[in-house]
Amino acid sequence: MKFLDQAKIYVRSGDGGAGCVSFRREKFIEFGGPDGGDGGRGGDVVVECVEGLNTLIDYRYQQHFKARPGMHGMGKNRTGARGTDVVLKVPQGTQIFAEDNETLIADLTEIGQRVVLARGGNGGFGNAYFKTSTNQAPRRANPGQEGTEMWIWLRLKLIADAGLVGLPNAGKSTFLAAVSAAKPKIADYPFTTLHPGLGVVRVDAREFVLADIPGLIEGAHEGHGLGDRFLGHVERCRVLLHLVEGTSEHAGKAYKVVRRELEAYGHGLAEKPEIVALSKADALDPETRKEQFARLKRAAGRTPLVLSAASGEGVETALRALLAEIDAARGEEKDHAHNAVANKEGAGEGESSWHP
C-alpha cells in the first residue's frame, strides 16, 4: 500500500427535488383541489474520521464525489425521497482545507468525528403549499435549490506522542524497529525512509506512539532532498527525539543543521521539548565517542544521551525520558483545559441575572 498524505478532491452536494403541480381528480369528487407534493432534499457531503486507515491513497484514484439529488414531488401529496449522502472516510489526523490550501475548514482528530462539508439543496414546494382562501387552485411549484460544489484539500498529519528527527542515516528507522514492532526499511544509504512510519512503543508497562519521518538535509525548507513537508507529521507530537549520528564528521554541526530546518519550517516545532541523543555509539571507539559527545553537548547546550539501537545501549533511558516528557505535556494540557472550564464558569457566575 502506498502512503499518500495530501489529496485534492471535488465535492458536490445533491440538488433539491422540484415541487409538483397536481390536482386531485377522482370520480364523484368535484372539488378535489391541489395535491402536489414537495421535492426531496439533496444529499449531503460528509467527512468521517474512521479507524483502520493511515493514508489518503483512496483519493488518489477517485477525485470527484457527488451526492444524489432529491426526488421530485408527486401527486396525492407525496413528498420526494431525500438524496443519498456521500460519506468520505479519512484517517485520524486529517485536516480539510479550502481550495487555496490555506483556509482550514476542519481538523479531524478523534475517531467517529463527522463534519458536513456541503449541505444538499432544499426541495421545492408543491402547489399544495401555495393554496389559500383566495387562490384555491394554484398552478405553480418551486424548483429545488441547487447543491453546493467546491474543491478541497485533504492533508494528513499523523497523530503520535513522540517524533524522531535527524539527518539521513542517523539511525531513526533502526531505533523505531528496535523499540516497536514496526518494520521500516533499513539500509546504509541516505533517504532509505521515503514515507513516515508509526510504531507503538512499550516501556515500564506503558505505551506511546512514536513517529519516524524521512531525514532532513541542509536547505530542506527550500525543497532540497525530500523537502520539509513531512515535518507536518511531527507537528502534533508532544516531544521530539533528535538523533545525531555518532559516525558523522562533526556531531555539533549535524545537530545545528536540523535545528535550523526546524526553525525555518515554523509551526512551533522548534519550541517543542527535545531530547538529544548521540546514535550509533557501538560503531565508535572510546576517543571518538568522547570527542563527538563533547561537540554535541556544546552545540545543544545540554547533556545528550548516548545510545545504540543495534546493541541496545541507552535505549531504555531514551524511552523513559520520552515518556516523562509526554506525561508532563499531558499534564499541562489537562491544566489548560481545567483552567478554561473554570474561567468559563466564573464568567457565567459573574453575569447579573437582573434585567431592566
Side-chain angles (χ1 to χ4, degrees):
M1 181 181 69
K2 292 182 179 178
F3 180 86
L4 191 74
D5 61 355
Q6 188 165 283
K8 186 180 183 182
I9 61 173
Y10 168 86
V11 296
R12 179 182 169 87
S13 59
D15 297 336
C20 174
V21 176
S22 171
F23 294 90
R24 184 179 179 190
R25 287 188 172 90
E26 288 187 40
K27 194 174 183 182
F28 307 123
I29 296 176
E30 52 187 329
F31 300 108
D35 67 350
D38 301 337
R41 187 179 164 190
D44 299 335
V45 178
V46 181
V47 182
E48 183 180 10
C49 180
V50 299
E51 207 168 6
L53 292 179
N54 57 8
T55 174
L56 296 173
I57 192 65
D58 295 340
Y59 303 101
R60 168 68 178 81
Y61 304 106
Q62 182 183 353
Q63 288 95 27
H64 294 76
F65 298 88
K66 300 177 183 178
R68 300 291 300 172
M71 295 294 292
H72 55 75
M74 290 168 280
K76 299 183 180 178
N77 289 312
R78 288 176 291 176
T79 301
R82 191 185 188 284
T84 307
D85 295 340
V86 164
V87 180
L88 309 179
K89 296 183 178 180
V90 298
Q92 190 177 11
T94 301
Q95 292 181 322
I96 305 170
F97 288 87
E99 189 175 4
D100 61 7
N101 208 1
E102 293 179 358
T103 307
L104 180 65
I105 298 174
D107 191 359
L108 304 175
T109 57
E110 297 178 6
I111 300 297
Q113 196 173 346
R114 289 169 66 95
V115 174
V116 178
L117 271 186
R119 296 198 176 275
N122 291 327
F125 293 125
N127 68 335
Y129 177 84
F130 297 102
K131 65 183 178 183
T132 64
S133 59
T134 57
N135 183 12
Q136 297 182 0
R139 297 180 184 275
R140 59 168 289 200
N142 285 352
Q145 290 181 341
E146 288 191 359
T148 55
E149 60 180 356
M150 65 180 81
W151 284 92
I152 60 170
W153 284 92
L154 300 177
R155 193 184 303 168
L156 174 61
K157 290 183 178 178
L158 296 176
I159 295 181
D161 298 305
L164 290 168
V165 295
L167 292 171
N169 269 61
K172 299 184 297 297
S173 297
T174 307
F175 183 83
L176 182 67
V179 300
S180 72
K183 293 180 172 57
K185 185 178 179 182
I186 299 170
D188 60 350
Y189 55 85
F191 299 116
T192 313
T193 302
L194 297 176
H195 307 296
L198 290 177
V200 178
V201 180
R202 187 174 181 84
V203 56
D204 296 336
R206 300 273 304 280
E207 289 184 348
F208 64 89
V209 180
L210 182 64
D212 172 30
I213 63 167
L216 298 168
I217 63 170
E218 192 168 4
H221 67 281
E222 298 173 348
H224 297 179
L226 293 178
D228 65 356
R229 77 184 184 94
F230 288 116
L231 283 174
H233 295 289
V234 292
E235 273 185 39
R236 302 181 192 270
C237 294
R238 295 182 171 93
V239 58
L240 300 178
L241 176 59
H242 187 164
L243 295 183
V244 181
E245 184 181 0
T247 56
S248 61
E249 290 183 11
H250 196 294
K253 291 180 180 178
Y255 171 80
K256 289 180 178 178
V257 166
V258 175
R259 288 300 300 177
R260 281 196 294 268
E261 295 305 319
L262 294 178
E263 290 166 4
Y265 179 79
H267 299 283
L269 274 189
E271 288 78 40
K272 285 188 179 295
E274 180 190 53
I275 294 171
V276 184
L278 188 70
S279 64
K280 301 187 180 180
D282 59 300
L284 302 175
D285 58 70
E287 186 179 340
T288 307
R289 176 170 172 162
K290 185 178 179 181
E291 184 183 11
Q292 292 284 55
F293 180 86
R295 287 171 173 173
L296 183 55
K297 184 176 180 179
R298 280 196 304 270
R302 73 194 80 170
T303 303
L305 302 177
V306 179
L307 60 85
S308 168
S311 66
E313 178 191 352
V315 171
E316 287 288 327
T317 306
L319 295 182
R320 289 193 178 100
L322 287 173
L323 193 57
E325 289 287 354
I326 292 168
D327 288 341
R330 285 175 178 165
E332 288 180 8
E333 289 170 9
K334 286 182 181 178
D335 289 342
H336 286 315
H338 178 73
N339 292 337
V341 171
N343 291 337
K344 191 174 180 181
E345 290 175 352
E349 290 172 4
E351 292 177 0
S352 173
S353 58
W354 178 83
H355 297 284

